[in-house]
Amino acid sequence: MRDTRESRLLLVLLIAIAFALITVDIRGGEDSPVDGARRAAATVFGPVEEGMSSAVDPIGNAIGAVRDSGERHDRIAELERQNAALKARLGSDDRNRSRVRQLDSMLKTAGAGQYGIKGAEVIGIGAAQGFSWTVTIDAGAEDGLKRDMTVLNGDGLVGRVTTVGPNTATVLLANDPDFTVGTRMEKTDELGFATGQGDRPLSVQLLNGKSEVKKGDRLVTFGSRKDKPFVPGVPVGEVVRVDPSGGDLTRTVYVKPYVGFTRLDIVGVVVEAPREDPRDTVLPKKPEKPKPTPTVTVTATPSGKPEGDGAANPADGAADPADGAGNPADGAADDDEQ
């Protein structure tokens, strides 16, 4: 429609009519004269509006669902994050407690043997260094470590240092087949050489083929010249099997090491040897054998039966000598009187 004077007048007229109808409708309330027209319009346009609503609502619902899903996902993700953090914290606390126990045990062992040690943590294992049984520790030359130093933990002998870097070092474990250490038996002082056998007990060749050895006997390190690579007195393990001597010059026994080589964490490198050989003092104390509990045997004896129960009392059945026999003094008195 072109913008003419007539079209403008028509637009003004329509607006005026619309305002008039609105005013009449508001003032009429429920009895509004346009209420019938409104119902008629609803009858005509209602189905169309409903169809449009049914077509549009799924889209709106989908958008709302996506929005709610995103919020739920965020909440789930936050809960999962909090759960993971809690588990990590609990795991960290357990690990810290374990490390504290290991450190405390190692310090007690070092104190008993008067070993000056440098604490370290195992940070690598395996064939990366070219050996079958090795670990890498986070201490090196800058910490005072040198090649051929003894390594121990709270349980006993771990191994010896073979390679030293500025901040790390490689330790050859005592169960490696290339590992050999001099040993001394507890109490008997029998000497031998222990060799690693991987995950099997250590093989120990005793120099005395006639030595008396039994299961449960314990061994410590004998020590090396100038205390390298081994200081004396470090617990090695416990005898679990003894081969028959057979008259050989040496005798083989098998020793279960005190150290668990597959679960190493905190270790100590002996940077200062003890002034005196600690001998057997570093070995853990053996549990005391329980003392036998004394037993008391009580024998029940039958109680005496009351009088009048039909059993004769020996004292009752025997005649009273005073009653059945005359008193000699009385008889003598009668003779005198006669």
Side-chain angles (χ1 to χ4, degrees), residues 242-332:
V242 181
D243 282 353
S245 61
D248 296 333
L249 297 178
T250 62
R251 190 172 192 181
T252 302
V253 298
Y254 298 91
V255 174
K256 180 181 179 181
Y258 288 122
V259 172
F261 298 106
T262 59
R263 55 179 186 273
L264 292 172
D265 187 9
I266 303 297
V267 298
V269 182
V270 181
V271 295
E272 184 179 351
R275 295 181 179 180
E276 297 180 359
D277 187 345
R279 307 292 292 181
D280 303 331
T281 59
V282 189
L283 284 168
K285 293 183 179 180
K286 288 185 176 180
E288 296 182 0
K289 294 182 179 180
K291 296 180 180 180
T293 304
T295 58
V296 178
T297 304
V298 178
T299 305
T301 56
S303 59
K305 295 183 179 180
E307 295 180 2
D309 58 355
N313 190 332
D316 297 334
D320 188 351
D323 296 335
N327 190 331
D330 295 339

Coordinates of all heavy atoms in Angstrom, one line a residue, residues 242-332:
V242 N 68.9 -76.7 54.5 CA 70.3 -77.0 54.7 C 70.6 -78.3 53.8 O 69.9 -79.3 54.0 CB 70.7 -77.3 56.1 CG1 72.2 -77.6 56.3 CG2 70.4 -76.1 57.0
D243 N 71.5 -78.2 52.9 CA 71.9 -79.4 52.2 C 72.8 -80.3 53.0 O 73.6 -79.8 53.8 CB 72.7 -79.0 50.9 CG 71.7 -78.5 49.8 OD1 70.5 -78.6 50.0 OD2 72.2 -78.0 48.8
P244 N 72.6 -81.6 52.8 CA 73.5 -82.5 53.6 C 75.0 -82.2 53.2 O 75.3 -81.9 52.1 CB 73.1 -83.9 53.1 CG 71.7 -83.7 52.5 CD 71.7 -82.4 52.0
S245 N 75.9 -82.4 54.2 CA 77.3 -82.0 54.0 C 77.9 -83.0 53.0 O 78.7 -82.5 52.1 CB 78.0 -82.1 55.4 OG 78.0 -83.4 55.9
G246 N 77.7 -84.3 53.1 CA 78.3 -85.2 52.2 C 79.8 -85.3 52.2 O 80.5 -85.7 51.3
G247 N 80.4 -84.7 53.2 CA 81.9 -84.8 53.4 C 82.6 -83.8 52.5 O 83.8 -83.8 52.4
D248 N 81.9 -82.8 51.9 CA 82.5 -81.8 51.1 C 83.3 -80.8 51.9 O 83.0 -80.7 53.1 CB 81.5 -81.1 50.2 CG 80.9 -82.0 49.2 OD1 81.5 -83.0 48.8 OD2 79.7 -81.8 48.8
L249 N 84.2 -80.1 51.3 CA 84.9 -79.0 52.0 C 84.0 -77.9 52.4 O 84.3 -77.2 53.4 CB 86.1 -78.5 51.2 CG 87.2 -79.6 50.9 CD1 88.2 -78.9 50.0 CD2 87.8 -80.1 52.2
T250 N 83.0 -77.6 51.6 CA 82.0 -76.5 51.9 C 80.6 -77.1 52.1 O 80.4 -78.3 51.8 CB 82.0 -75.5 50.8 OG1 81.5 -76.1 49.6 CG2 83.4 -74.9 50.6
R251 N 79.7 -76.3 52.6 CA 78.4 -76.7 52.8 C 77.4 -75.6 52.3 O 77.6 -74.5 52.6 CB 78.1 -77.0 54.3 CG 76.8 -77.7 54.5 CD 76.7 -78.1 56.0 NE 75.5 -79.0 56.2 CZ 75.2 -79.6 57.3 NH1 75.9 -79.3 58.4 NH2 74.1 -80.3 57.4
T252 N 76.4 -76.0 51.6 CA 75.4 -75.1 51.1 C 74.2 -75.0 51.9 O 73.6 -76.0 52.2 CB 75.0 -75.4 49.6 OG1 76.2 -75.5 48.8 CG2 74.1 -74.4 49.0
V253 N 73.8 -73.8 52.3 CA 72.5 -73.5 52.9 C 71.8 -72.5 52.1 O 72.4 -71.7 51.3 CB 72.7 -73.1 54.4 CG1 73.4 -74.1 55.2 CG2 73.5 -71.7 54.4
Y254 N 70.5 -72.4 52.3 CA 69.6 -71.5 51.6 C 69.0 -70.5 52.6 O 68.4 -71.0 53.6 CB 68.6 -72.2 50.7 CG 69.3 -73.1 49.7 CD1 69.6 -74.4 50.0 CD2 69.7 -72.6 48.5 CE1 70.2 -75.2 49.0 CE2 70.3 -73.3 47.5 CZ 70.6 -74.7 47.8 OH 71.2 -75.4 46.9
V255 N 69.1 -69.3 52.3 CA 68.7 -68.2 53.3 C 67.6 -67.3 52.6 O 67.8 -66.8 51.5 CB 69.9 -67.4 53.6 CG1 69.5 -66.2 54.5 CG2 70.9 -68.2 54.3
K256 N 66.5 -67.2 53.4 CA 65.5 -66.2 53.0 C 65.9 -64.9 53.4 O 66.0 -64.6 54.6 CB 64.1 -66.6 53.6 CG 63.0 -65.7 53.2 CD 61.7 -66.1 53.9 CE 60.6 -65.1 53.5 NZ 59.3 -65.5 54.2
P257 N 66.1 -63.9 52.5 CA 66.5 -62.6 53.0 C 65.4 -61.8 53.7 O 64.2 -62.1 53.5 CB 66.8 -61.8 51.6 CG 66.0 -62.6 50.6 CD 65.9 -64.0 51.1
Y258 N 65.8 -61.0 54.6 CA 64.9 -60.2 55.4 C 64.2 -59.1 54.5 O 63.0 -58.8 54.8 CB 65.6 -59.5 56.6 CG 66.0 -60.4 57.7 CD1 67.4 -60.5 58.1 CD2 65.1 -61.2 58.4 CE1 67.8 -61.3 59.1 CE2 65.5 -62.0 59.4 CZ 66.8 -62.1 59.7 OH 67.2 -63.0 60.8
V259 N 64.9 -58.6 53.5 CA 64.4 -57.6 52.7 C 63.4 -58.1 51.6 O 63.7 -59.1 51.0 CB 65.5 -56.8 52.1 CG1 65.0 -55.7 51.1 CG2 66.4 -56.1 53.1
G260 N 62.3 -57.4 51.4 CA 61.4 -57.7 50.3 C 61.8 -56.8 49.1 O 61.5 -55.6 49.0
F261 N 62.5 -57.4 48.2 CA 63.1 -56.7 47.1 C 62.1 -56.1 46.1 O 62.4 -55.3 45.3 CB 64.2 -57.5 46.3 CG 65.3 -57.9 47.2 CD1 65.4 -59.2 47.7 CD2 66.3 -57.0 47.6 CE1 66.5 -59.6 48.5 CE2 67.3 -57.4 48.4 CZ 67.4 -58.7 48.9
T262 N 60.9 -56.6 46.1 CA 59.9 -56.2 45.2 C 59.0 -55.0 45.7 O 58.2 -54.5 45.0 CB 59.0 -57.3 44.8 OG1 58.3 -57.9 45.9 CG2 59.7 -58.4 44.1
R263 N 59.3 -54.6 46.9 CA 58.5 -53.5 47.5 C 59.4 -52.5 48.2 O 59.0 -52.0 49.3 CB 57.5 -54.1 48.5 CG 58.0 -55.0 49.6 CD 56.9 -55.5 50.5 NE 57.5 -56.2 51.7 CZ 57.7 -57.5 51.7 NH1 57.5 -58.2 50.6 NH2 58.2 -58.1 52.7
L264 N 60.5 -52.2 47.6 CA 61.4 -51.2 48.2 C 60.9 -49.8 48.0 O 60.4 -49.5 46.9 CB 62.8 -51.4 47.5 CG 63.6 -52.6 47.9 CD1 64.8 -52.7 47.0 CD2 64.0 -52.7 49.3
D265 N 61.1 -49.0 49.0 CA 60.7 -47.6 48.9 C 61.7 -46.7 49.5 O 62.4 -45.9 48.8 CB 59.3 -47.4 49.5 CG 58.8 -46.0 49.3 OD1 59.3 -45.2 48.5 OD2 57.7 -45.7 49.9
I266 N 61.9 -46.7 50.8 CA 62.8 -45.9 51.5 C 64.1 -46.7 51.9 O 63.9 -47.8 52.5 CB 62.2 -45.3 52.8 CG1 61.0 -44.5 52.5 CG2 63.3 -44.4 53.5 CD1 61.2 -43.3 51.6
V267 N 65.2 -46.3 51.5 CA 66.5 -47.0 51.8 C 67.5 -46.0 52.3 O 67.3 -44.8 52.3 CB 67.1 -47.7 50.5 CG1 66.1 -48.7 49.9 CG2 67.4 -46.6 49.4
G268 N 68.6 -46.6 52.9 CA 69.7 -45.8 53.4 C 71.0 -46.2 52.9 O 71.3 -47.4 52.9
V269 N 71.8 -45.3 52.4 CA 73.2 -45.6 52.0 C 74.2 -45.3 53.1 O 74.2 -44.2 53.7 CB 73.5 -44.8 50.7 CG1 74.9 -45.2 50.2 CG2 72.5 -45.0 49.6
V270 N 75.0 -46.3 53.4 CA 75.9 -46.1 54.5 C 77.1 -45.3 54.1 O 77.9 -45.8 53.3 CB 76.4 -47.5 55.1 CG1 77.4 -47.3 56.2 CG2 75.2 -48.4 55.5
V271 N 77.1 -44.1 54.5 CA 78.2 -43.2 54.1 C 79.3 -43.1 55.1 O 80.4 -42.6 54.9 CB 77.7 -41.8 53.8 CG1 76.7 -41.8 52.6 CG2 77.0 -41.2 55.0
E272 N 79.0 -43.7 56.3 CA 80.0 -43.8 57.4 C 79.9 -45.1 58.1 O 78.9 -45.4 58.6 CB 79.8 -42.6 58.4 CG 80.9 -42.5 59.5 CD 80.7 -41.4 60.4 OE1 79.8 -40.5 60.1 OE2 81.4 -41.3 61.5
A273 N 81.0 -45.9 58.1 CA 81.0 -47.2 58.7 C 81.1 -47.1 60.2 O 81.5 -46.1 60.8 CB 82.2 -48.0 58.2
P274 N 80.6 -48.1 60.9 CA 80.7 -48.1 62.4 C 82.2 -48.2 62.9 O 83.0 -48.8 62.2 CB 79.9 -49.3 62.8 CG 80.0 -50.3 61.6 CD 80.0 -49.4 60.4
R275 N 82.4 -47.7 64.0 CA 83.8 -47.8 64.6 C 84.2 -49.2 65.0 O 85.3 -49.6 64.9 CB 83.9 -46.8 65.8 CG 83.8 -45.3 65.4 CD 84.0 -44.5 66.6 NE 83.8 -43.0 66.3 CZ 83.9 -42.0 67.2 NH1 84.2 -42.3 68.5 NH2 83.8 -40.8 66.8
E276 N 83.2 -49.9 65.5 CA 83.4 -51.3 65.9 C 82.4 -52.2 65.2 O 81.3 -51.7 64.9 CB 83.3 -51.4 67.4 CG 84.3 -50.7 68.2 CD 84.1 -50.8 69.7 OE1 83.2 -51.6 70.1 OE2 84.9 -50.3 70.4
D277 N 82.7 -53.4 65.0 CA 81.8 -54.4 64.4 C 80.6 -54.6 65.3 O 80.8 -55.1 66.5 CB 82.6 -55.7 64.2 CG 81.7 -56.7 63.4 OD1 80.5 -56.6 63.3 OD2 82.3 -57.7 62.9
P278 N 79.4 -54.3 64.9 CA 78.3 -54.5 65.8 C 77.9 -56.0 66.0 O 77.0 -56.3 66.8 CB 77.1 -53.8 65.0 CG 77.5 -53.8 63.6 CD 79.0 -53.8 63.6
R279 N 78.6 -56.9 65.3 CA 78.3 -58.3 65.5 C 76.9 -58.7 65.2 O 76.3 -58.4 64.2 CB 78.8 -58.8 66.9 CG 80.2 -58.4 67.3 CD 81.2 -59.2 66.5 NE 81.2 -60.6 66.8 CZ 82.1 -61.5 66.3 NH1 82.9 -61.1 65.4 NH2 82.0 -62.7 66.6
D280 N 76.2 -59.2 66.2 CA 74.8 -59.6 66.1 C 73.8 -58.7 66.7 O 72.6 -59.0 66.7 CB 74.6 -61.0 66.7 CG 75.5 -62.1 66.2 OD1 75.9 -61.9 65.0 OD2 75.9 -63.0 66.9
T281 N 74.2 -57.5 67.1 CA 73.3 -56.6 67.8 C 72.3 -56.0 66.9 O 71.2 -55.5 67.4 CB 74.1 -55.5 68.5 OG1 74.9 -54.7 67.4 CG2 75.1 -56.0 69.5
V282 N 72.5 -56.0 65.6 CA 71.5 -55.4 64.7 C 70.4 -56.3 64.4 O 69.3 -55.9 63.9 CB 72.2 -54.8 63.4 CG1 71.2 -54.0 62.6 CG2 73.4 -54.0 63.8
L283 N 70.6 -57.6 64.6 CA 69.5 -58.6 64.3 C 68.3 -58.3 65.1 O 68.4 -57.9 66.3 CB 70.1 -60.0 64.5 CG 71.0 -60.6 63.5 CD1 71.6 -61.9 64.0 CD2 70.3 -60.9 62.2
P284 N 67.1 -58.5 64.6 CA 65.9 -58.3 65.4 C 65.9 -59.3 66.5 O 66.4 -60.5 66.4 CB 64.8 -58.5 64.4 CG 65.4 -59.4 63.3 CD 66.8 -59.0 63.2
K285 N 65.3 -58.9 67.6 CA 65.2 -59.8 68.8 C 64.2 -61.0 68.4 O 63.2 -60.8 67.8 CB 64.7 -59.1 70.0 CG 65.6 -58.0 70.5 CD 65.1 -57.4 71.8 CE 66.1 -56.3 72.4 NZ 65.5 -55.7 73.6
K286 N 64.6 -62.2 68.8 CA 63.8 -63.3 68.6 C 62.6 -63.3 69.6 O 62.8 -62.9 70.8 CB 64.6 -64.6 68.8 CG 65.6 -64.9 67.7 CD 66.2 -66.3 67.9 CE 67.2 -66.6 66.8 NZ 67.8 -68.0 67.0
P287 N 61.5 -63.7 69.1 CA 60.3 -63.7 70.1 C 60.5 -64.7 71.2 O 61.1 -65.8 70.9 CB 59.1 -64.1 69.2 CG 59.8 -64.8 68.0 CD 61.1 -64.1 67.8
E288 N 60.2 -64.3 72.4 CA 60.4 -65.2 73.5 C 59.4 -66.4 73.4 O 58.3 -66.2 73.0 CB 60.2 -64.5 74.8 CG 61.2 -63.4 75.0 CD 61.0 -62.7 76.4 OE1 60.0 -63.1 77.1 OE2 61.8 -61.8 76.7
K289 N 60.0 -67.6 73.8 CA 59.1 -68.7 73.8 C 58.1 -68.7 74.9 O 58.5 -68.3 76.0 CB 59.9 -70.0 73.9 CG 60.8 -70.3 72.7 CD 61.6 -71.6 72.8 CE 62.5 -71.9 71.6 NZ 63.2 -73.1 71.7
P290 N 56.9 -69.0 74.7 CA 55.9 -68.9 75.8 C 56.3 -69.9 76.9 O 56.6 -71.0 76.7 CB 54.6 -69.2 75.1 CG 55.0 -70.0 73.9 CD 56.3 -69.4 73.4
K291 N 56.3 -69.4 78.1 CA 56.6 -70.2 79.3 C 55.4 -71.2 79.5 O 54.2 -70.8 79.4 CB 56.8 -69.4 80.5 CG 58.0 -68.5 80.4 CD 58.2 -67.7 81.7 CE 59.5 -66.8 81.6 NZ 59.7 -66.0 82.8
P292 N 55.7 -72.5 79.8 CA 54.6 -73.4 80.1 C 53.8 -73.0 81.3 O 54.4 -72.6 82.3 CB 55.3 -74.8 80.3 CG 56.7 -74.4 80.7 CD 57.0 -73.1 80.0
T293 N 52.6 -73.1 81.2 CA 51.7 -72.8 82.3 C 51.6 -74.0 83.3 O 51.3 -75.1 82.9 CB 50.3 -72.5 81.8 OG1 50.4 -71.4 80.9 CG2 49.4 -72.0 83.0
P294 N 52.0 -73.8 84.6 CA 51.9 -74.9 85.5 C 50.5 -75.4 85.7 O 49.6 -74.6 85.8 CB 52.5 -74.3 86.8 CG 52.3 -72.8 86.7 CD 52.4 -72.5 85.2
T295 N 50.4 -76.7 85.7 CA 49.1 -77.3 85.9 C 49.0 -77.9 87.3 O 49.9 -78.5 87.8 CB 48.8 -78.4 84.9 OG1 49.8 -79.4 85.0 CG2 48.8 -77.8 83.5
V296 N 47.8 -77.7 87.9 CA 47.6 -78.2 89.3 C 46.5 -79.3 89.2 O 45.4 -79.0 88.7 CB 47.1 -77.1 90.2 CG1 46.8 -77.7 91.6 CG2 48.2 -76.0 90.3
T297 N 46.8 -80.5 89.6 CA 45.9 -81.6 89.6 C 45.2 -81.8 91.0 O 45.9 -81.9 92.0 CB 46.6 -82.9 89.2 OG1 47.2 -82.8 88.0 CG2 45.6 -84.1 89.1
V298 N 43.9 -81.7 91.0 CA 43.2 -81.8 92.2 C 42.5 -83.2 92.2 O 41.7 -83.5 91.3 CB 42.2 -80.7 92.4 CG1 41.4 -80.9 93.6 CG2 42.9 -79.3 92.4
T299 N 42.8 -84.0 93.2 CA 42.1 -85.3 93.3 C 41.0 -85.3 94.3 O 41.2 -84.9 95.5 CB 43.1 -86.4 93.7 OG1 44.2 -86.4 92.7 CG2 42.5 -87.8 93.7
A300 N 39.8 -85.6 93.9 CA 38.7 -85.6 94.8 C 38.7 -86.9 95.7 O 38.8 -88.0 95.2 CB 37.4 -85.5 94.0
T301 N 38.6 -86.7 97.0 CA 38.5 -87.8 97.9 C 37.1 -88.0 98.4 O 36.4 -87.0 98.7 CB 39.5 -87.7 99.1 OG1 39.1 -86.4 99.7 CG2 40.9 -87.6 98.6
P302 N 36.6 -89.3 98.6 CA 35.2 -89.4 99.1 C 35.1 -88.9 100.5 O 36.0 -89.2 101.3 CB 35.0 -90.9 99.0 CG 36.3 -91.5 99.0 CD 37.2 -90.5 98.3
S303 N 34.0 -88.2 100.8 CA 33.8 -87.7 102.1 C 33.3 -88.8 103.1 O 32.7 -89.8 102.6 CB 32.8 -86.5 102.1 OG 31.6 -87.0 101.6
G304 N 33.6 -88.7 104.4 CA 33.2 -89.7 105.3 C 31.6 -89.8 105.4 O 31.0 -88.7 105.3
K305 N 31.1 -90.9 105.6 CA 29.6 -91.0 105.7 C 29.2 -90.8 107.1 O 29.9 -91.1 108.1 CB 29.2 -92.4 105.3 CG 29.5 -92.7 103.8 CD 29.0 -94.1 103.4 CE 29.2 -94.3 101.9 NZ 28.8 -95.6 101.5
P306 N 28.0 -90.2 107.4 CA 27.6 -90.0 108.7 C 27.3 -91.2 109.5 O 27.1 -92.3 108.9 CB 26.3 -89.1 108.5 CG 25.8 -89.5 107.1 CD 27.1 -89.8 106.3
E307 N 27.4 -91.1 110.8 CA 27.1 -92.2 111.7 C 25.7 -92.7 111.5 O 24.8 -91.9 111.2 CB 27.3 -91.8 113.1 CG 28.7 -91.4 113.5 CD 28.9 -91.1 114.9 OE1 27.9 -91.1 115.6 OE2 30.0 -90.7 115.3
G308 N 25.5 -94.0 111.7 CA 24.2 -94.6 111.5 C 23.8 -94.9 110.1 O 22.7 -95.2 109.8
D309 N 24.8 -94.9 109.2 CA 24.5 -95.2 107.8 C 24.7 -96.7 107.5 O 24.7 -97.1 106.3 CB 25.4 -94.4 106.9 CG 26.9 -94.6 107.1 OD1 27.2 -95.3 108.1 OD2 27.7 -94.0 106.4
G310 N 25.0 -97.5 108.5 CA 25.2 -98.9 108.3 C 26.6 -99.4 108.2 O 26.8 -100.6 108.1
A311 N 27.5 -98.5 108.1 CA 28.9 -98.9 108.0 C 29.5 -98.8 109.4 O 29.3 -97.9 110.1 CB 29.7 -98.0 107.1
A312 N 30.2 -99.9 109.7 CA 30.8 -99.9 111.1 C 32.0 -99.0 111.1 O 32.8 -99.0 110.2 CB 31.2 -101.3 111.4
N313 N 32.2 -98.3 112.2 CA 33.3 -97.4 112.4 C 34.4 -98.3 113.0 O 34.2 -98.9 114.0 CB 32.9 -96.3 113.3 CG 34.0 -95.2 113.3 OD1 35.2 -95.5 113.1 ND2 33.6 -94.0 113.7
P314 N 35.6 -98.3 112.4 CA 36.6 -99.1 113.0 C 36.9 -98.8 114.4 O 37.1 -99.7 115.3 CB 37.8 -98.8 112.1 CG 37.3 -98.4 110.8 CD 36.0 -97.7 111.1
A315 N 36.8 -97.5 114.7 CA 37.0 -97.2 116.1 C 35.9 -97.7 117.0 O 36.1 -98.0 118.2 CB 37.1 -95.7 116.2
D316 N 34.6 -97.8 116.4 CA 33.5 -98.3 117.1 C 33.6 -99.8 117.3 O 33.2 -100.4 118.3 CB 32.2 -97.9 116.5 CG 32.0 -96.4 116.4 OD1 32.6 -95.7 117.3 OD2 31.3 -96.0 115.6
G317 N 34.1 -100.5 116.3 CA 34.1 -102.0 116.3 C 35.2 -102.6 117.3 O 35.2 -103.7 117.6
A318 N 36.2 -101.8 117.5 CA 37.3 -102.3 118.4 C 36.9 -102.0 119.8 O 36.4 -100.9 120.2 CB 38.6 -101.6 118.0
A319 N 37.2 -103.0 120.6 CA 36.9 -102.8 122.1 C 37.9 -101.8 122.7 O 39.1 -101.8 122.3 CB 37.0 -104.1 122.8
D320 N 37.4 -101.0 123.6 CA 38.2 -100.1 124.2 C 39.1 -100.8 125.2 O 38.5 -101.5 126.1 CB 37.3 -99.1 125.0 CG 38.1 -97.9 125.5 OD1 39.4 -97.9 125.5 OD2 37.5 -96.9 126.0
P321 N 40.4 -100.7 125.2 CA 41.2 -101.5 126.1 C 40.9 -101.2 127.5 O 40.9 -102.0 128.4 CB 42.6 -101.0 125.7 CG 42.5 -100.6 124.3 CD 41.2 -100.0 124.2
A322 N 40.5 -99.9 127.8 CA 40.1 -99.6 129.1 C 38.9 -100.2 129.6 O 38.7 -100.5 130.8 CB 40.0 -98.1 129.3
D323 N 38.0 -100.5 128.6 CA 36.7 -101.2 129.0 C 36.8 -102.7 129.1 O 36.3 -103.3 130.0 CB 35.6 -100.8 128.0 CG 35.3 -99.3 127.9 OD1 35.6 -98.6 128.9 OD2 34.8 -98.8 126.9
G324 N 37.5 -103.3 128.1 CA 37.5 -104.8 128.1 C 38.6 -105.4 129.0 O 38.5 -106.6 129.3
A325 N 39.6 -104.7 129.3 CA 40.7 -105.3 130.1 C 40.7 -104.6 131.4 O 40.5 -103.4 131.5 CB 42.0 -105.1 129.3
G326 N 41.0 -105.4 132.4 CA 41.1 -104.8 133.8 C 42.3 -103.9 133.9 O 43.3 -104.2 133.3
N327 N 42.2 -102.9 134.7 CA 43.3 -102.0 134.9 C 44.2 -102.7 135.9 O 43.8 -103.1 136.9 CB 42.7 -100.7 135.6 CG 43.8 -99.6 135.6 OD1 45.0 -99.9 135.6 ND2 43.4 -98.4 135.6
P328 N 45.5 -102.9 135.5 CA 46.4 -103.6 136.4 C 46.5 -102.9 137.8 O 46.6 -103.6 138.8 CB 47.8 -103.5 135.7 CG 47.4 -103.3 134.2 CD 46.1 -102.6 134.3
A329 N 46.4 -101.7 137.8 CA 46.4 -101.0 139.1 C 45.2 -101.3 139.9 O 45.3 -101.5 141.1 CB 46.5 -99.5 138.9
D330 N 44.1 -101.4 139.3 CA 42.9 -101.8 140.0 C 43.0 -103.2 140.6 O 42.6 -103.5 141.7 CB 41.7 -101.7 139.1 CG 41.4 -100.2 138.7 OD1 42.0 -99.3 139.4 OD2 40.7 -100.0 137.7
G331 N 43.5 -104.2 139.7 CA 43.7 -105.5 140.2 C 44.6 -105.7 141.3 O 44.4 -106.4 142.3
A332 N 45.7 -104.9 141.3 CA 46.6 -105.0 142.3 C 46.0 -104.5 143.6 O 46.3 -105.0 144.7 CB 47.9 -104.2 141.9

